[in-house]
Amino acid sequence: MSHPSATLTRFLADLRYEQIPAPVLRRAEDLLLDTLGSMLAGSGARAVQTIAQYGQAMGPQQGPSENLVTRSGTSPVFAAMSNAAAAHMVEQDDVHNGSVFHPAAVVMPPAMALAQARGASGRDLLTAIVAGYEAGIRIGEFLGRSHYTIFHTTGTAGAPAAAMACGKLLGLDAARMLHALGSAGTQAAGLWEFLRDGADSKQLHTARASANGLMAAWLAARDFTGASRILEGPQGMAAGMSRDADPLRLTDGLGSRWALLETSFKYHASCRHTHPAADALLSVVQAHNLGIADIAQVTAHVHQGAIDVLGPVVNPATVHQSKFSMGTVLGLIAKHRKAGLQEFDEAPADSDIADFRARVTMQLDPEVDGAYPQRWIGKVTVTTRDGRTLSGRVDTPKGDPDNTLIRPEIEDKVRRLGRYQNAASAADIDAMIQRVWTLADTARVGDFCPRDGAPARP
C-alpha cells in the first residue's frame, strides 16, 4: 500500500536511533525534561488526583511503570493516564505551532511507562519519542484549522501519536504499525466545549489519548487489526472532523524535516494562544515603565484560533479557567511582569486583575491570522491613563524555536515546576535532571524520581 497513512507508518516502523540527527535527539531530551517538570507541577491538582485515584482503584497497586502523581509503581496504562493528565495541567507543556498540538503530554507518558515496563534502553525511549512527535504533529497539521475550532487536537491526534511511540517500543513492523494507527484513530476524541464550564475534560483528553494509543499498539502487536486509512479514508478522521484536511502534510519531508525541532517551550503558565500578546504587552510595560494602574485599555490583535479558544472564557472562576482568559493573563503581565504558577494561583481573588480584565479586548487581525498557525505574532495596542497610545509587537514569542530556551533555562524552569506545591525535593529534581541528560547512555530506563519518600503536600 502506498497511501499516506501507510507511507507514514512504514517510515516510523523503519526509523532507527542512528538515523535521527543529533540535534533532534538532544531536543527530545530537552522536551522530556520539560515535561517531567510539568508532570510534577500538575500532580497535586484535584482533577489529576481524581484520575490517579481511578487508576489506583482499577489497576494494580504496584507495577513496573512510574506514576509521578502518586510516586508509586503501577501498570503502564495507568501510569500513562496519570502522568498525561498531570503533564497538561499547569499549562507549561510544549506546543507545536503549525499543528496547534501539545505533543509531550500524550507522547512522553505512554512512552516512559512502556519503556520502564519493558526494560528498554534510553536510546529506545528517545527513538519512540521522536516517532510519536513526527506522527502527532503531522496528523495535527493534516487535520487543519477547521478541526481545531471544535476538536482539541491534543486529544484527537494524541491517540495516534501515543500509538506510534508505543509501537516503536514494541518493535512493530510496518503492517502492525498501520493497524495500531487504525485502532488509535478510531478512538480519537476531545471537544472544546469544556471551556465554557471550566470542566476537567482537558486532563481526560490527554489521559485517554495516552492510554488509548498504548492499547492500540499493544493490540496490534498481537495482530489485532485496524482501519488502513483511518486518517484520510472516506469515513476516517478527516471526513468526520475536518473541512480542510491536507493528506500531503502526513508525509511531506519524512526523514529530512524533523517536526520535533519545531516544537516550542511554554514560557508563561497559560494557554499558548495568550503568549504572543503577553510578550507584546510585556515589551510595552518594560519600555515605558508602566504599572497596571497606568493602563486604561489593551487591545490584543489576535488570530481566529485565539478567539475560538479564549472567547468562551468570560468570567474565569478558577485558576485553570484563568489560564484561558486573555484579560487575566495580560493583567498578570501588567501587574507582575510575569504570568507564572504563583501569579495564577492568586489571580482569582485579585481585584486588580478582575478590574483589568474588563479593560482588555481581543480583535481579529488579518496579518496575525494570515500568519497563523505557522507563526504566532503578538500585537497589542495600549491606551494609558494619561492619554498615550502605545503599540507592542513580538514576531517570535519566548520559547519558539527561534527564541528557544537553552538548557540552563530549561533546568531553572523544571526546578520551579518540580518545587511547586512541594511536588518533589530539590535533591530529587537535581537527580531527575541528570537522569535525562544521561538518558542516551542508559541501558535500562528506570524511574526518573524516587517512588518512596515523597514529601507531604500542605
Side-chain angles (χ1 to χ4, degrees):
M1 291 182 286
S2 59
H3 54 79
S5 290
T7 301
L8 176 62
T9 50
R10 185 182 309 113
F11 169 79
L12 297 173
D14 293 342
L15 183 64
R16 299 292 177 266
Y17 178 88
E18 293 75 19
Q19 298 171 318
I20 303 172
V24 180
L25 295 166
R26 300 294 78 78
R27 181 50 59 92
E29 294 164 356
D30 295 347
L31 294 166
L32 174 59
L33 181 59
D34 185 67
T35 309
L36 287 165
S38 283
M39 290 177 189
L40 290 172
S43 62
R46 177 194 51 78
V48 174
Q49 287 282 323
T50 303
I51 290 174
Q53 289 161 9
Y54 169 80
Q56 289 178 310
M58 299 295 174
Q61 300 301 308
Q62 297 182 14
S65 300
E66 176 183 24
N67 185 335
L68 282 167
V69 177
T70 61
R71 299 289 286 275
S72 62
T74 185
S75 67
V77 68
F78 288 113
M81 283 184 62
S82 294
N83 292 338
H88 207 42
M89 184 71 226
V90 297
E91 297 295 329
Q92 289 273 260
D93 52 315
D94 65 6
V95 63
H96 181 268
N97 287 351
S99 56
V100 201
F101 171 63
H102 299 275
V106 289
V107 170
M108 302 293 188
M112 284 170 46
L114 195 55
Q116 290 165 338
R118 292 180 61 82
S121 71
R123 294 188 176 194
D124 293 335
L125 175 55
L126 290 171
T127 304
I129 289 169
V130 173
Y133 269 66
E134 294 301 313
I137 288 169
R138 291 170 182 279
I139 293 169
E141 291 177 331
F142 154 74
L143 289 169
R145 289 183 65 168
S146 66
H147 177 79
Y148 190 76
T149 61
I150 303 295
F151 294 96
H152 182 203
T153 306
T154 304
T156 55
M164 296 300 93
C166 292
K168 286 303 297 178
L169 288 162
L170 292 170
L172 300 188
D173 60 20
R176 290 178 176 84
M177 283 288 264
L178 186 59
H179 288 311
L181 183 69
S183 291
T186 205
Q187 300 178 83
L191 296 162
W192 281 118
E193 184 61 25
F194 74 90
L195 284 171
R196 286 176 171 79
D197 307 296
D200 297 327
S201 306
K202 199 163 189 270
Q203 275 50 64
L204 189 61
H205 293 175
T206 52
R208 288 310 311 169
S210 294
N212 290 345
L214 194 159
M215 178 184 182
W218 191 94
L219 293 173
R222 287 150 183 84
D223 295 323
F224 190 95
T225 62
S228 62
R229 298 180 63 199
I230 196 64
L231 301 177
E232 73 278 25
Q235 291 178 296
M237 287 180 68
M241 297 178 164
S242 177
R243 299 185 307 275
D244 60 345
D246 180 4
L248 293 177
R249 303 298 295 175
L250 294 169
T251 58
D252 182 47
L254 279 173
S256 58
R257 172 215 174 192
W258 297 93
L260 181 145
L261 287 176
E262 302 162 5
T263 306
S264 301
F265 296 96
K266 290 181 76 174
Y267 190 65
H268 307 295
S270 60
C271 174
R272 182 64 171 177
H273 291 295
T274 66
H275 288 210
D279 283 359
L281 179 61
L282 182 61
S283 71
V284 173
V285 298
Q286 289 178 331
H288 298 276
N289 195 28
L290 300 177
I292 191 169
D294 299 319
I295 298 174
Q297 186 174 1
V298 178
T299 299
H301 304 276
V302 299
H303 51 266
Q304 185 63 47
I307 294 172
D308 292 341
V309 173
L310 307 176
V313 185
V314 179
N315 295 303
T318 67
V319 171
H320 198 246
Q321 268 192 309
S322 297
K323 293 169 182 267
F324 288 82
S325 163
M326 181 68 85
T328 300
V329 174
L330 297 189
L332 294 177
I333 293 294
K335 184 170 184 176
H336 303 290
R337 301 194 177 187
K338 60 181 178 178
L341 299 178
Q342 297 296 340
E343 288 74 33
F344 274 106
D345 283 352
E346 299 165 3
D350 191 328
S351 60
D352 289 341
I353 300 301
D355 179 66
F356 189 88
R357 190 163 53 238
R359 308 200 299 269
V360 174
T361 58
M362 290 189 291
Q363 184 180 104
L364 183 65
D365 184 284
E367 180 194 13
V368 175
D369 192 58
Y372 172 85
Q374 281 69 35
R375 295 172 58 220
W376 295 40
I377 298 170
K379 293 168 65 176
V380 296
T381 301
V382 178
T383 304
T384 63
R385 298 283 190 188
D386 58 12
R388 289 174 291 165
T389 299
L390 308 171
S391 297
R393 179 186 179 113
V394 171
D395 287 292
T396 308
K398 180 67 173 177
D400 269 12
D402 292 335
N403 189 16
T404 192
L405 303 185
I406 60 175
R407 286 199 164 181
E409 291 176 307
I410 297 169
E411 290 183 3
D412 177 67
K413 177 185 174 183
V414 168
R415 288 189 175 96
R416 285 185 282 108
L417 291 171
R419 293 297 298 140
Y420 179 65
Q421 295 187 350
N422 293 327
S425 69
D428 286 350
I429 297 166
D430 287 342
M432 182 179 75
I433 291 170
Q434 291 309 307
R435 288 188 182 99
V436 174
W437 293 157
T438 59
L439 186 61
D441 298 318
T442 301
R444 184 184 180 97
V445 176
D447 290 349
F448 289 94
C449 267
R451 295 189 184 185
D452 298 319
R457 294 181 181 278

